[in-house]
Amino acid sequence: AATRKGFPVYGIGLGDIVHQNTDLLSQYRAGMATTGMTTYNVIGNHDQGHKKDLSDEEACAAYEAAMGPANFSFNLGNMHFLMLDNMMSQAGAYSDECATGLTDGIWEWVKNDLKHVSLDTPLMVCAHSPMMRTESGSDRSGAHLGELRNLLKKYKKAYVWAGHTHTTFNYVDKNDP
């Protein structure tokens, strides 16, 4: 495993790895393996096939075949990581023209996963599209996002990461749970 000054090094990819060419996902994975660094990835809208009228499951199929599950969790050190597919396919649209939110199935999985995580455990929630707030400061709407925010407020520390906007901003919610 890769280390820096004796400490392990990990990477997180926040999606849009291959810009609609899902055939490149295997090459990406092989290339990342040469770094010696464990990298955890989430699916972005441009990591899905560019086809019309695919279900969420169909839109994720090539990604999951090459990269593994689009939704998973793990513990690393004292933190719990949730890696989420929050790009929801829309009827009548290309599969990469997604809305931000969580399907009912993913939301149920999140609730069940977090039942086993202490409220004192720091959470790292990674997804492609911002789920909490936009750069302009408005709260995000979308399926189950308000419920997710309410659930995360119960935790002492929750850090939420996204890559979709290709910009960097930081927001600290100092409201009490």
mmCIF file of all heavy atoms in Angstrom, residues 120-143:
data_model
loop_
_atom_site.group_PDB
_atom_site.id
_atom_site.type_symbol
_atom_site.label_atom_id
_atom_site.label_comp_id
_atom_site.label_asym_id
_atom_site.label_seq_id
_atom_site.Cartn_x
_atom_site.Cartn_y
_atom_site.Cartn_z
ATOM 1 N N ASP A 120 -21.200 8.865 17.258
ATOM 2 C CA ASP A 120 -19.906 9.515 17.501
ATOM 3 C C ASP A 120 -18.895 9.237 16.399
ATOM 4 O O ASP A 120 -17.831 9.847 16.364
ATOM 5 C CB ASP A 120 -19.321 9.041 18.836
ATOM 6 C CG ASP A 120 -20.111 9.574 20.023
ATOM 7 O OD1 ASP A 120 -20.697 10.674 19.920
ATOM 8 O OD2 ASP A 120 -20.146 8.883 21.053
ATOM 9 N N THR A 121 -19.201 8.299 15.508
ATOM 10 C CA THR A 121 -18.285 7.947 14.425
ATOM 11 C C THR A 121 -18.330 9.017 13.339
ATOM 12 O O THR A 121 -19.404 9.324 12.828
ATOM 13 C CB THR A 121 -18.667 6.582 13.815
ATOM 14 O OG1 THR A 121 -18.590 5.593 14.841
ATOM 15 C CG2 THR A 121 -17.747 6.211 12.673
ATOM 16 N N PRO A 122 -17.195 9.591 12.987
ATOM 17 C CA PRO A 122 -17.195 10.553 11.875
ATOM 18 C C PRO A 122 -17.611 9.860 10.569
ATOM 19 O O PRO A 122 -17.148 8.763 10.264
ATOM 20 C CB PRO A 122 -15.739 11.018 11.790
ATOM 21 C CG PRO A 122 -15.150 10.705 13.131
ATOM 22 C CD PRO A 122 -15.871 9.476 13.602
ATOM 23 N N LEU A 123 -18.487 10.530 9.828
ATOM 24 C CA LEU A 123 -18.954 10.009 8.544
ATOM 25 C C LEU A 123 -18.312 10.787 7.408
ATOM 26 O O LEU A 123 -18.181 12.011 7.470
ATOM 27 C CB LEU A 123 -20.471 10.173 8.410
ATOM 28 C CG LEU A 123 -21.376 9.429 9.357
ATOM 29 C CD1 LEU A 123 -22.832 9.757 9.041
ATOM 30 C CD2 LEU A 123 -21.139 7.942 9.256
ATOM 31 N N MET A 124 -17.961 10.055 6.369
ATOM 32 C CA MET A 124 -17.513 10.661 5.117
ATOM 33 C C MET A 124 -18.501 10.165 4.061
ATOM 34 O O MET A 124 -18.550 8.969 3.776
ATOM 35 C CB MET A 124 -16.105 10.209 4.756
ATOM 36 C CG MET A 124 -15.061 10.603 5.789
ATOM 37 S SD MET A 124 -14.800 12.368 5.840
ATOM 38 C CE MET A 124 -13.467 12.524 4.703
ATOM 39 N N VAL A 125 -19.307 11.060 3.520
ATOM 40 C CA VAL A 125 -20.322 10.699 2.535
ATOM 41 C C VAL A 125 -19.839 11.236 1.185
ATOM 42 O O VAL A 125 -19.654 12.441 1.018
ATOM 43 C CB VAL A 125 -21.699 11.287 2.895
ATOM 44 C CG1 VAL A 125 -22.745 10.868 1.881
ATOM 45 C CG2 VAL A 125 -22.106 10.872 4.318
ATOM 46 N N CYS A 126 -19.632 10.325 0.240
ATOM 47 C CA CYS A 126 -19.106 10.699 -1.073
ATOM 48 C C CYS A 126 -20.125 10.342 -2.150
ATOM 49 O O CYS A 126 -20.648 9.228 -2.163
ATOM 50 C CB CYS A 126 -17.795 9.964 -1.339
ATOM 51 S SG CYS A 126 -16.519 10.321 -0.121
ATOM 52 N N ALA A 127 -20.392 11.283 -3.010
ATOM 53 C CA ALA A 127 -21.309 11.083 -4.136
ATOM 54 C C ALA A 127 -20.858 12.020 -5.253
ATOM 55 O O ALA A 127 -19.981 12.862 -5.056
ATOM 56 C CB ALA A 127 -22.746 11.369 -3.717
ATOM 57 N N HIS A 128 -21.457 11.887 -6.402
ATOM 58 C CA HIS A 128 -21.019 12.719 -7.518
ATOM 59 C C HIS A 128 -21.605 14.127 -7.470
ATOM 60 O O HIS A 128 -20.904 15.114 -7.601
ATOM 61 C CB HIS A 128 -21.370 12.043 -8.849
ATOM 62 C CG HIS A 128 -20.903 12.833 -10.027
ATOM 63 N ND1 HIS A 128 -19.571 13.148 -10.229
ATOM 64 C CD2 HIS A 128 -21.582 13.394 -11.051
ATOM 65 C CE1 HIS A 128 -19.453 13.865 -11.326
ATOM 66 N NE2 HIS A 128 -20.653 14.033 -11.844
ATOM 67 N N SER A 129 -22.887 14.240 -7.297
ATOM 68 C CA SER A 129 -23.553 15.538 -7.350
ATOM 69 C C SER A 129 -23.788 16.070 -5.936
ATOM 70 O O SER A 129 -24.119 15.310 -5.035
ATOM 71 C CB SER A 129 -24.890 15.390 -8.089
ATOM 72 O OG SER A 129 -25.504 16.641 -8.248
ATOM 73 N N PRO A 130 -23.622 17.387 -5.725
ATOM 74 C CA PRO A 130 -23.859 17.941 -4.393
ATOM 75 C C PRO A 130 -25.258 17.608 -3.887
ATOM 76 O O PRO A 130 -26.239 17.749 -4.615
ATOM 77 C CB PRO A 130 -23.706 19.450 -4.591
ATOM 78 C CG PRO A 130 -22.866 19.593 -5.811
ATOM 79 C CD PRO A 130 -23.224 18.422 -6.685
ATOM 80 N N MET A 131 -25.330 17.164 -2.642
ATOM 81 C CA MET A 131 -26.613 16.754 -2.060
ATOM 82 C C MET A 131 -27.076 17.672 -0.950
ATOM 83 O O MET A 131 -28.232 17.623 -0.546
ATOM 84 C CB MET A 131 -26.505 15.334 -1.495
ATOM 85 C CG MET A 131 -26.228 14.292 -2.534
ATOM 86 S SD MET A 131 -26.244 12.625 -1.853
ATOM 87 C CE MET A 131 -24.796 12.647 -0.816
ATOM 88 N N MET A 132 -26.202 18.488 -0.430
ATOM 89 C CA MET A 132 -26.559 19.303 0.726
ATOM 90 C C MET A 132 -26.886 20.732 0.342
ATOM 91 O O MET A 132 -27.865 21.288 0.750
ATOM 92 C CB MET A 132 -25.406 19.313 1.745
ATOM 93 C CG MET A 132 -25.011 17.958 2.223
ATOM 94 S SD MET A 132 -26.377 17.158 3.080
ATOM 95 C CE MET A 132 -26.202 15.495 2.499
ATOM 96 N N ARG A 133 -26.024 21.320 -0.465
ATOM 97 C CA ARG A 133 -26.118 22.739 -0.746
ATOM 98 C C ARG A 133 -25.369 23.011 -2.041
ATOM 99 O O ARG A 133 -24.413 22.333 -2.355
ATOM 100 C CB ARG A 133 -25.475 23.467 0.432
ATOM 101 C CG ARG A 133 -25.553 24.919 0.457
ATOM 102 C CD ARG A 133 -25.147 25.420 1.838
ATOM 103 N NE ARG A 133 -26.211 25.198 2.787
ATOM 104 C CZ ARG A 133 -27.157 26.073 3.067
ATOM 105 N NH1 ARG A 133 -27.162 27.232 2.485
ATOM 106 N NH2 ARG A 133 -28.104 25.793 3.933
ATOM 107 N N THR A 134 -25.795 24.035 -2.751
ATOM 108 C CA THR A 134 -25.071 24.420 -3.965
ATOM 109 C C THR A 134 -24.082 25.524 -3.618
ATOM 110 O O THR A 134 -24.136 26.103 -2.534
ATOM 111 C CB THR A 134 -26.032 24.923 -5.060
ATOM 112 O OG1 THR A 134 -26.689 26.096 -4.576
ATOM 113 C CG2 THR A 134 -27.053 23.862 -5.429
ATOM 114 N N GLU A 135 -23.210 25.820 -4.542
ATOM 115 C CA GLU A 135 -22.219 26.876 -4.319
ATOM 116 C C GLU A 135 -22.893 28.210 -4.030
ATOM 117 O O GLU A 135 -22.400 29.012 -3.261
ATOM 118 C CB GLU A 135 -21.314 26.977 -5.541
ATOM 119 C CG GLU A 135 -20.155 27.907 -5.356
ATOM 120 C CD GLU A 135 -19.208 27.866 -6.529
ATOM 121 O OE1 GLU A 135 -19.545 27.290 -7.583
ATOM 122 O OE2 GLU A 135 -18.123 28.438 -6.403
ATOM 123 N N SER A 136 -24.069 28.427 -4.626
ATOM 124 C CA SER A 136 -24.786 29.681 -4.398
ATOM 125 C C SER A 136 -25.457 29.719 -3.029
ATOM 126 O O SER A 136 -25.965 30.752 -2.618
ATOM 127 C CB SER A 136 -25.844 29.895 -5.489
ATOM 128 O OG SER A 136 -26.831 28.878 -5.407
ATOM 129 N N GLY A 137 -25.453 28.590 -2.325
ATOM 130 C CA GLY A 137 -25.965 28.578 -0.955
ATOM 131 C C GLY A 137 -27.339 27.979 -0.782
ATOM 132 O O GLY A 137 -27.819 27.853 0.337
ATOM 133 N N SER A 138 -28.004 27.600 -1.867
ATOM 134 C CA SER A 138 -29.345 27.041 -1.703
ATOM 135 C C SER A 138 -29.268 25.544 -1.405
ATOM 136 O O SER A 138 -28.377 24.847 -1.872
ATOM 137 C CB SER A 138 -30.184 27.284 -2.957
ATOM 138 O OG SER A 138 -29.602 26.626 -4.064
ATOM 139 N N ASP A 139 -30.194 25.090 -0.571
ATOM 140 C CA ASP A 139 -30.260 23.663 -0.274
ATOM 141 C C ASP A 139 -30.684 22.902 -1.509
ATOM 142 O O ASP A 139 -31.465 23.385 -2.324
ATOM 143 C CB ASP A 139 -31.269 23.388 0.849
ATOM 144 C CG ASP A 139 -30.730 23.767 2.213
ATOM 145 O OD1 ASP A 139 -29.503 23.844 2.365
ATOM 146 O OD2 ASP A 139 -31.547 23.985 3.122
ATOM 147 N N ARG A 140 -30.166 21.699 -1.649
ATOM 148 C CA ARG A 140 -30.516 20.847 -2.781
ATOM 149 C C ARG A 140 -31.840 20.154 -2.507
ATOM 150 O O ARG A 140 -32.109 19.714 -1.394
ATOM 151 C CB ARG A 140 -29.447 19.782 -2.986
ATOM 152 C CG ARG A 140 -28.100 20.302 -3.414
ATOM 153 C CD ARG A 140 -28.139 20.857 -4.789
ATOM 154 N NE ARG A 140 -28.396 19.787 -5.729
ATOM 155 C CZ ARG A 140 -27.995 19.754 -6.968
ATOM 156 N NH1 ARG A 140 -27.310 20.751 -7.452
ATOM 157 N NH2 ARG A 140 -28.270 18.753 -7.749
ATOM 158 N N SER A 141 -32.656 20.075 -3.528
ATOM 159 C CA SER A 141 -33.860 19.264 -3.432
ATOM 160 C C SER A 141 -33.628 18.030 -4.292
ATOM 161 O O SER A 141 -32.743 18.007 -5.135
ATOM 162 C CB SER A 141 -35.085 20.043 -3.914
ATOM 163 O OG SER A 141 -34.913 20.419 -5.263
ATOM 164 N N GLY A 142 -34.383 17.025 -4.061
ATOM 165 C CA GLY A 142 -34.244 15.775 -4.793
ATOM 166 C C GLY A 142 -34.710 14.652 -3.898
ATOM 167 O O GLY A 142 -34.805 14.809 -2.671
ATOM 168 N N ALA A 143 -34.997 13.532 -4.485
ATOM 169 C CA ALA A 143 -35.545 12.399 -3.746
ATOM 170 C C ALA A 143 -34.657 12.041 -2.555
ATOM 171 O O ALA A 143 -33.466 11.776 -2.724
ATOM 172 C CB ALA A 143 -35.714 11.198 -4.668
#
